Amino acid sequence: MSAARSARYDELLSAVARPAGAEDEASAPAADSTPAEGETWPQGISHDATMRISDVLRSLRAEFPAVSHSKLRFLEEQGLVHPVRTPAGYRQYSPADVERLRFVLVEQRDRYLPLKVIKDKLAALDRGAASSDQPLIPRLATKDGESAAGPEGALTLEVLAVEAGVELSFVEELVTAGVLRPGPRGRFDPVARDVVVLAAGLGEHGIGPRHLRGLRAAADRQVALVDQVIAPVRAQQAPSARARAATTASELGEMCAQLHTAWLRQGIADLAT
């Protein structure tokens, strides 16, 4: 990102969130930092609706390969984005809509936040507040709808080893143990990098790939449990059902992870007593 664009983002997101209804005039933002009436976040980015839904998908799929027409319609139904309609009834989006969608997808993917929480965060941003719990650096879409950020392609076995800073033989051992599973054509997604790095850290304490099979099996059982819950939703014929199932799966997965972490911390604390 250029220095000029970075400075513009810093200025755009420099306001600190204030509770709704606060009346402390000394802490009120300057008049020129207040969004124009009716203008949703992000400000300073074009709100002209010139992009078709296919343009939006092309822009987002480099970073979110699974995003679909039904996902965008579902997020619209939930009030997270508001595309305009042409006289013929087609949806049209603006570059600002694309960044709004990207924000939602990042919060879901990286933080497993429920849509209600994300909607509340967007409402705060619409009021001119900055994200108070983590830096927010939007990545603009270019005029033709293509993302300015490069795509995260699938990783080969060799590239995965290099990026994780481990020997190729170690990655191969993880695959053989079933701890690391390649996707189509033997490629790995970016999450696999985290798996390798964490496995390497455990390896420094004598916990090898074969010891991790039980952890992987436990995770698979949790995934199967979540799958049982969302299966009826996924089977529905409504266009947004698949997106709703994915959202529910993310939220359930996060709760399972938090429960597992709580039990693990409790057990580790018992070891110290």
Side-chain angles (χ1 to χ4, degrees):
M1 179 182 293
S2 68
R5 180 177 292 175
S6 177
R8 183 153 61 92
Y9 285 147
D10 289 342
E11 181 180 356
L12 174 66
L13 303 173
S14 60
V16 177
R18 298 177 66 222
E23 297 180 356
D24 183 1
E25 294 182 358
S27 62
D32 59 2
S33 67
T34 302
E37 183 177 356
E39 185 180 67
T40 57
W41 180 89
Q43 292 80 36
I45 300 175
S46 174
H47 283 69
D48 293 336
T50 59
M51 301 173 66
R52 298 168 300 178
I53 195 168
S54 58
D55 298 324
V56 176
L57 290 173
R58 187 166 58 250
S59 175
L60 293 173
R61 276 178 175 161
E63 189 175 359
F64 307 96
V67 70
S68 62
H69 289 75
S70 62
K71 177 72 171 183
L72 297 187
R73 286 194 293 268
F74 174 67
L75 294 178
E76 179 186 354
E77 291 172 4
Q78 300 304 306
L80 294 161
V81 67
H82 304 281
V84 301
R85 294 297 186 106
T86 67
Y90 294 105
R91 294 173 175 84
Q92 284 194 314
Y93 299 77
S94 69
D97 290 328
V98 174
E99 296 313 310
R100 197 174 180 90
L101 287 166
R102 181 174 284 113
F103 177 83
V104 173
L105 295 171
V106 167
E107 294 292 281
Q108 282 192 303
R109 182 194 65 189
D110 297 348
R111 308 185 69 193
Y112 302 96
L113 292 181
L115 287 181
K116 183 180 183 303
V117 175
I118 299 174
K119 189 173 182 178
D120 289 343
K121 294 182 73 172
L122 280 171
L125 290 169
D126 289 341
R127 294 192 298 268
S131 178
S132 60
D133 49 6
Q134 71 173 22
L136 179 62
I137 305 176
R139 284 160 289 183
L140 293 176
T142 57
K143 290 182 179 179
D144 60 1
E146 294 293 338
S147 174
E152 288 188 285
L155 306 173
T156 64
L157 200 70
E158 294 77 10
V159 171
L160 181 58
V162 170
E163 293 200 1
V166 300
E167 296 293 333
L168 177 60
S169 59
F170 179 72
V171 181
E172 292 173 336
E173 191 176 355
L174 290 173
V175 174
T176 301
V179 175
L180 189 66
R181 296 169 186 165
R185 295 176 296 179
R187 301 297 181 96
F188 299 87
D189 62 27
V191 176
R193 186 188 302 111
D194 297 333
V195 173
V196 175
V197 170
L198 291 169
L202 291 170
E204 295 178 359
H205 297 275
I207 303 175
R210 63 186 179 86
H211 300 115
L212 301 179
R213 291 172 180 165
L215 295 179
R216 180 68 201 234
D220 289 342
R221 288 193 294 271
Q222 291 179 9
V223 172
L225 178 62
V226 172
D227 185 46
Q228 290 178 20
V229 175
I230 68 170
V233 179
R234 194 171 49 217
Q236 295 176 10
Q237 298 300 315
S240 61
R242 194 168 193 83
R244 186 164 64 253
T247 298
T248 303
S250 295
E251 295 177 6
L252 292 176
E254 175 63 11
M255 285 187 280
C256 286
Q258 290 178 359
L259 181 60
H260 175 81
T261 300
W263 281 333
L264 185 60
R265 287 175 176 169
Q266 184 180 49
I268 295 300
D270 291 341
L271 294 178
T273 60

